[in-house]
Amino acid sequence: MLLLSLIIAHLLADFYLQTDRMVHDKLNNIKKHILHHFLVNTAVLAAGWLLFYRENDPVMNVVWPVLFITSTHLIIDLVKIKLVDQYTARENLNKLWFFILDQLLHLFMLLIALQLFYQKSLISNFDSFIKLLFEEGRQMDAASTILVIVIILILGTTVSGHLIRILLGSLPGQLLTFEGKYTFKNELKEPAYQQTSNGERGLSEQYSYMIFNKHDMSRGKLIGYIERLLVILLTYYSSYPAIAFIVTAKSIARFKQMDDRDWAEYFLLGTLTSMFMGIMFGILLREILN
């Protein structure tokens, strides 16, 4: 339960208390970011000590774990910033792998903190997770179940959205605003030509219009969140055919934009990634809770 609480604290500090401006200029905002982690981890560990470990030394169960978690988080973030700037350039796939490795290292540090200061073995934690997935009849207590559901929901919405943005990169303005292409043809016929020729002759002009529209990016983010939540819910209940209706609804809403091949590929990649993550978290939730 303490591990689950620390994971939620990490996700809150990394994806809710960190603004887009802080993400874009993380080096200059690193102190504020680490302060967020220090505060949320202090709150979680202090609450854990008051509820379950009051007989233990608070310095050993609160102060040292908080300092260890925040200091290792700072080191990992600084190394990541340097490596990302040096090796990824504009390669979105490389940035994606750095992001996943960064999150796995933070999780590993949480496990190390529990082993150092709470004598909770890293191997035993891993073994408990494997048994929870594959051992029939193994159940969690109500509090742990709620924490797992919260973690899955955060992973399926905010974390997945951030991961998809890294994978797709920034959408060019001409694709973001493209609504459709319309062609009008105007023919001017010359009556004089009809006297000297059997056919009609004249001047033909063709006009092509690109229709643009300014989109609210927050709506797209909200649609993505709701989409993945629905996919997680449908996967949990094994209602896979219903997921097709979500894809159909998205395709109808973007029908005119499918005329542009670049936009269509961008849309397809984002939709497939979103669906994959929703199904993956839905299966994970089902295996843990059932």
Side-chain angles (χ1 to χ4, degrees), residues 228-240 242-243 275-287 290:
R228 286 188 292 278
L229 287 175
L230 286 173
V231 172
I232 290 173
L233 182 63
L234 293 171
T235 302
Y236 179 81
Y237 288 104
S238 300
S239 301
Y240 297 108
I243 297 176
M275 292 294 166
F276 170 76
M277 300 185 75
I279 293 173
M280 180 181 67
F281 289 127
I283 293 174
L284 180 61
L285 183 64
R286 185 178 63 203
E287 293 301 319
N290 291 341

Side-chain angles (χ1 to χ4, degrees), residues 80 95-105 163 166:
K80 176 195 170 186
K95 292 180 181 179
L96 176 64
W97 289 119
F98 270 104
F99 170 76
I100 294 174
L101 179 61
D102 170 70
Q103 296 303 315
L104 290 177
L105 285 175
L163 192 148
I166 294 176

Side-chain angles (χ1 to χ4, degrees), residues 208-227:
S208 294
Y209 296 91
M210 299 293 291
I211 307 301
F212 295 92
N213 186 27
K214 186 176 181 180
H215 292 278
D216 183 2
M217 294 300 292
S218 61
R219 286 184 299 175
K221 183 187 294 186
L222 181 60
I223 290 172
Y225 287 179
I226 297 174
E227 168 193 313

